[in-house]
Amino acid sequence: MEGQTKKLVKLGKDVETRIFDGDNPFIELPVRGKRNVIWDQKAGLLGLGDSKSKRHFINVAHAKKFMQTLLVGAFAKQLMDEKIHASLREAYYSLKHTIKESKENTFDEQKESDDVFVDLEVALGILRDQLHINADRRGVAAGNVVIKDRGDIIDWSKLGSGGWAIPGNVEDLSIESVDADFVLVAEKNATFDRLHEDKFWKKHNCVLVGTQGQAARGIRRLIHRISHEYKLPVYVFTDSDPYGWYIYSVIKMGSMNLAHASKELGTPKAQFLGLTISDIYEYELENAAIRARDVDIRRAKELLKYPWFKHKAWEAEINLMLKKKIKAEQEALAQRHLKFVSETYLPEKIEAGNFLP
Amino acid sequence: MEGQTKKLVKLGKDVETRIFDGDNPFIELPVRGKRNVIWDQKAGLLGLGDSKSKRHFINVAHAKKFMQTLLVGAFAKQLMDEKIHASLREAYYSLKHTIKESKENTFDEQKESDDVFVDLEVALGILRDQLHINADRRGVAAGNVVIKDRGDIIDWSKLGSGGWAIPGNVEDLSIESVDADFVLVAEKNATFDRLHEDKFWKKHNCVLVGTQGQAARGIRRLIHRISHEYKLPVYVFTDSDPYGWYIYSVIKMGSMNLAHASKELGTPKAQFLGLTISDIYEYELENAAIRARDVDIRRAKELLKYPWFKHKAWEAEINLMLKKKIKAEQEALAQRHLKFVSETYLPEKIEAGNFLP
């Protein structure tokens, strides 16, 4: 039995033992939610604090959630036994039933089962991906990387203009070889396509990952794995706006919602390559800049409050944005000329090590 | 010079000739917009009618748009000469400049350049993909298909759990071989993943395409190409709601916005596999059905008005939805059991030829 399955079975056995001993069975869970999210400055990661709670069976307020937790656990066990995977939504529909001789549903909304999967992930200290639950997929990869996945040997350098579609769950693949000096993560599809067509990853010996907006769980885990298993630096390239900077921060230190999984999903050594607000002036992109909207201003002020943005360099950039009230997209670099991003901007920034922390 | 470049050059030459002849130069354009969209019942495609308009240089109302059209044409020519591609947004930033000795910008918003690219596509009767303008990418493919793209030979049957990421522009790739009996198009990522993990394309000898929602231009063109070049039927599998049915109709007969390109993007022989509202009852999914919202009801009533939904079978389904006020997701089939979709539902429907037109 694999480690993950063992942990899950132990949770069930503990409940069973307590029942046979005539005790009130319970499951112990670290408290999630913002109150128990901590910023681990040393690790450079978000994490959970020490607060724990117990979910009891014989407790009117807990009983339904207790039942749901066991149903979800049994479902995950079945997936692992059958060696198949399910999305959160498939899991919800699979688990949703009307309890016999009642009008009570096991689950009424997907949010209920989603939450319990996270509970289980936290309680067991394993990723829900390892419980065979897939996150939604997004993202694309190219470069001198060879992976093995479902028995196929896949060479990311030989996939034409398309690239390899990153799945929602990257636990079962093995990264066989990586011939690269760094990982470059790009927010926009158009940027991925530009760099891919310009053979950036070939010329600059890197792995190219496109996130298509906020990085999905599979992408974050894949960046983490490549970077950790092959000791590679990671440079993140987003729009010059608070949303882009937030995308970067989630890749680097994790998110509040999944703070318990930051160690597996985050990449603390990731660095921010650009776009910065300073870049707009440095690279003469003023005519391609966009006026910041109220929501951008509000988000920028929020970023200033996060302890993980409390660096002089970041504060200077965010304050510059607030002062100038502008932002810019990655594609703004096309105003200089189409290949400016691949031939000038990125090589200059990387060569100079001109990153934000 | 390739055919596409020739057409573009001719447009420029015609303008030049008229200038040297002392005439007022103009560009002739088929009228776009809903008034000139027609439903070609015989072809089973949306298309443009015969209305044409002329865009003159010496006309206060046309002059700016005339200039924009020539700028966009010149930009496309440059892309084709340099054998590189650009996204619509990169094109916008590349083209946006302040005209010398004035405060006038060539383009103020991306919508202006986007519109002109479509104008050019319509005026020349070629796809803007062939003008080296890439649509945003989305979608994933798997199956016994071998393509050649940028010098790489790519076998879609050997790409692990990820699959091939479909690019925004599929004009330059060649489909080398297809060993399949049909193409199955799935709306949801989770459905693609389910069928891919269950080896559906291997067991049922098909090509599997995931659209991740509304099918992007690259996906529609790719489905068109596989189906036309290899004479394969196409079955579309979406949620049971008006949005899913609309996704199907766009794959099949094109969209109002891109009516001029339906011949290249549409696949008139595509058939609708499901989910239908009847399926909810047929396959006992009542407990997984969802109450239709007002917006669903409104959309369903709109579909009834479209001439391309005027089939008895479709009207029966849409009216059933309006009567029962329900809808269902593809993942609802997981309520029977996880592999029900791949082992029972799809094989039964395909075997029986139980499709909507």
Side-chain angles (χ1 to χ4, degrees), chain B residues 190-209:
Chain B
T191 305
F192 178 90
D193 286 337
R194 170 87 279 119
L195 299 176
H196 192 26
E197 179 168 84
D198 294 349
K199 300 184 175 34
F200 186 85
W201 58 264
K202 208 173 266 185
K203 288 178 189 159
H204 296 276
N205 207 37
C206 69
V207 182
L208 189 59
V209 173

Side-chain angles (χ1 to χ4, degrees), chain A residues 113-289:
Chain A
S113 50
D114 285 2
D115 278 351
V116 175
F117 275 109
V118 181
D119 285 345
L120 211 56
E121 175 173 46
V122 176
L124 299 173
I126 60 179
L127 291 179
R128 69 168 188 250
D129 317 60
Q130 294 168 331
L131 295 170
H132 286 218
I133 294 296
N134 293 343
D136 194 19
R137 58 152 74 215
R138 203 162 52 240
V140 57
N144 289 319
V145 174
V146 176
I147 62 164
K148 189 172 176 181
D149 183 23
R150 290 202 189 149
D152 298 331
I153 298 289
I154 305 153
D155 183 343
W156 291 1
S157 72
K158 293 181 178 159
L159 295 177
S161 60
W164 193 62
I166 301 172
N169 191 336
V170 298
E171 291 313 305
D172 297 335
L173 63 84
S174 62
I175 304 166
E176 301 283 309
S177 72
V178 176
D179 176 12
D181 298 324
F182 60 93
V183 179
L184 181 65
V185 182
E187 173 187 349
K188 296 275 191 70
N189 282 334
T191 305
F192 178 90
D193 286 338
R194 170 89 277 120
L195 299 177
H196 192 26
E197 179 167 84
D198 295 349
K199 302 185 174 29
F200 186 86
W201 57 263
K202 208 173 266 185
K203 288 178 188 160
H204 295 277
N205 206 38
C206 69
V207 181
L208 189 59
V209 174
T211 64
Q212 312 184 339
Q214 181 62 266
R217 197 172 159 121
I219 301 175
R220 289 157 59 189
R221 179 73 175 143
L222 191 63
I223 294 169
H224 170 101
R225 287 195 55 194
I226 297 174
S227 150
H228 280 72
E229 294 175 26
Y230 289 85
K231 313 267 176 289
L232 293 188
V234 173
Y235 309 138
V236 181
F237 177 28
T238 72
D239 285 344
S240 181
D241 62 28
Y243 185 68
W245 304 331
Y246 179 68
I247 290 174
Y248 161 68
S249 87
V250 168
I251 291 170
K252 186 180 174 84
M253 30 233 161
S255 68
M256 303 279 262
N257 282 339
L258 300 177
H260 59 280
S262 295
K263 272 195 190 111
E264 287 80 20
L265 297 178
T267 304
K269 68 178 165 191
Q271 291 171 284
F272 185 73
L273 188 148
L275 285 177
T276 63
I277 299 292
S278 307
D279 285 339
I280 297 174
Y281 299 99
E282 186 74 27
Y283 290 94
E284 297 168 23
L285 305 171
E286 291 94 329
N287 196 29

